[in-house]
Amino acid sequence: MPASAPPLVWSESFDNTWEYDGLRINYISAGPDQGTPFLLVHGFGASGFHWRRNVNVLASAGYRVYAIDLIGFGLSSKPVIEYDASLWREQCAAFLRDVGGCGAGKRAILAGNSIGGYTALMTGSKYPDLVAGVASLNGAGQFAPTADEKAAALALDEQRAARSAVQAALDGALEQLSVSLQRFAAYAGLFVTKQPARIQQVLRQVYPVNPDMADEELVESIRYPADDPVGLAPPGKIPEVFYRIVSRNGRGGSVTLDELLAGLSVPLLLLWGELDPWIVSAKGDAIEAKAAGLGVDVRRVSVNAGHCPQDEAPEEVNAALLDFACSLGL
């Protein structure tokens, strides 16, 4: 285990930039250029800076560490597009090729928190040529519906198919109204959500063991990109970007965990904040059981923390990540 290393310091300036599909991507880098790539992927509303207490420790162990800002977050571009986790999967894969130099036998370790854990799992499942192992820290995602849920959905589809033309038109109008109301709620919600006091309140809820770790620096790293003073989104479009991200990914992504785990051929570390009020301990249990049942090389490390263990309990997380990397022979 390397000696402790200083955390990152928040800055409004870009760290490093990489152009991807015409978009500007911000990322943090540290460690020797020839070190094994270690890509860290943040969760919803955050940025690469959320790995502030991990980057330099991993780098001091000899890894080439990258903490990327996903499209729509942090200091990366915020276009008005359809946001789906597959967008971030392809962003991460391209980053590993273009910046990390992966491919042709060179592979990276991926670690992601929340929706970043889901993105890391998606990337590892599709691109084992780029990824040697995946660490999911309270990763998001949904399982496939149960037989009862499928039957209920089928019954609903049959009811919809049997509607009269008038009823179908009325239902269509109501659905449009519902979408409009959801968009309005997201717009209004963003105004409240990006206020520093509200950010602090939410963070302290998901840092139940060490709430003081959710400090003003972290709050500012979330608030500043949400205000978008540098114009990473089209003028006046930040609320629309927020709505599109939430509406497409609020329930965990379009590809089920069943599919992703079935396609995963590299080791999986479930590094779980067991006191998470959002993605609870039982969800980690279910993922672990499903992965083991599918023959995935899965291991579980429990952390006394909430939703963001990498920042609330960094010493435990750093040790677990380095142990995982060593187990991969990297």
Side-chain angles (χ1 to χ4, degrees), residues 123-242:
T123 308
S125 183
K126 185 173 181 180
Y127 296 109
D129 59 316
L130 303 176
V131 178
V134 173
S136 176
L137 288 72
N138 297 68
Q142 296 294 324
F143 287 104
T146 64
D148 288 345
E149 290 168 340
K150 288 180 180 179
L154 179 60
L156 182 59
D157 287 342
E158 291 173 347
Q159 286 180 349
R160 290 172 64 87
R163 293 174 302 175
S164 67
V166 172
Q167 186 62 49
L170 178 60
D171 288 347
L174 290 173
E175 288 173 5
Q176 285 297 111
L177 176 60
S178 176
V179 169
S180 297
L181 290 173
Q182 289 172 22
R183 180 175 268 107
F184 174 78
Y187 280 36
L190 174 62
F191 177 78
V192 174
T193 300
K194 70 179 183 178
Q195 302 305 314
R198 177 57 179 163
I199 296 172
Q200 184 93 63
Q201 180 186 36
V202 172
L203 286 173
R204 291 179 75 88
Q205 289 173 356
V206 297
Y207 283 53
V209 178
N210 295 303
D212 289 343
M213 298 291 266
D215 56 22
E216 292 182 3
E217 189 178 34
L218 180 59
V219 170
E220 184 61 14
S221 76
I222 296 171
R223 183 207 64 79
Y224 181 81
D227 277 346
D228 194 32
V230 294
L232 293 165
K237 292 298 185 180
I238 280 288
E240 179 64 19
V241 172
F242 178 75

Side-chain angles (χ1 to χ4, degrees), residues 143 270 272 274 280-291 300:
F143 287 104
L270 298 174
W272 221 260
E274 302 293 354
V280 298
S281 181
K283 182 65 169 287
D285 296 341
I287 296 172
E288 182 181 12
K290 185 69 176 182
R300 171 85 165 267

Side-chain angles (χ1 to χ4, degrees), residues 85 114-115 117-118 121-122 139-146 149 248-261 272 278-280 283 286-287 290:
S114 189
I115 200 166
Y118 179 74
L121 182 59
M122 288 189 80
Q142 296 294 324
F143 287 104
T146 64
E149 290 168 340
R248 288 296 301 273
N249 300 280
R251 296 184 178 179
S254 58
V255 182
T256 67
L257 291 171
D258 309 70
E259 295 175 76
L260 295 179
L261 293 170
W272 221 260
W278 291 350
I279 303 179
V280 298
K283 182 65 169 287
I287 296 172
K290 185 69 176 182

Side-chain angles (χ1 to χ4, degrees), residues 18 23 54 111 135-136 207 211 245 267-268 274 278 280 284 308 318 327:
W18 164 63
L23 302 173
N54 318 101
S136 176
Y207 283 53
I245 292 173
L268 172 64
E274 302 293 354
W278 291 350
V280 298
C308 310
N318 291 334
S327 76

